[in-house]
Amino acid sequence: RVMVWALLVLLSFIYVFSVVILQAVDYHLQDGQSPSSEDVAALRHYWGSLPKTIFTLFKTITGGLDWEIIVLSLAEVHWMMVLVFIFFVS
């Protein structure tokens, strides 16, 4: 019973951070600035939709994905997204 509540809190936490990060990435991609095609490809790969964003965050906290790759892609969006990601992981 306690495990179910802990899992529910974890999933809620992941969902909230996913929405925040996805909003920032979407705004960055639709902004007038032209990021390089490599940056756009990385952003769309990891943060292209809500399910992709949730899966990316899940992989980072379970050890399935290296944090440096994620931080580098988020640094292209805004330095604040790097802090949001670090807060999420910690």
Side-chain angles (χ1 to χ4, degrees), residues 18-44:
S18 295
V19 169
V20 169
I21 291 173
L22 184 58
Q23 287 286 327
V25 169
D26 188 49
Y27 179 77
H28 177 72
L29 290 175
Q30 292 184 5
D31 196 14
Q33 305 168 0
S34 309
S36 69
S37 60
E38 298 89 23
D39 294 336
V40 170
L43 288 172
R44 290 197 191 280

Side-chain angles (χ1 to χ4, degrees), residues 5 8 15 48 79 84:
W5 285 110
L8 185 64
Y15 177 78
W79 63 268
V84 167

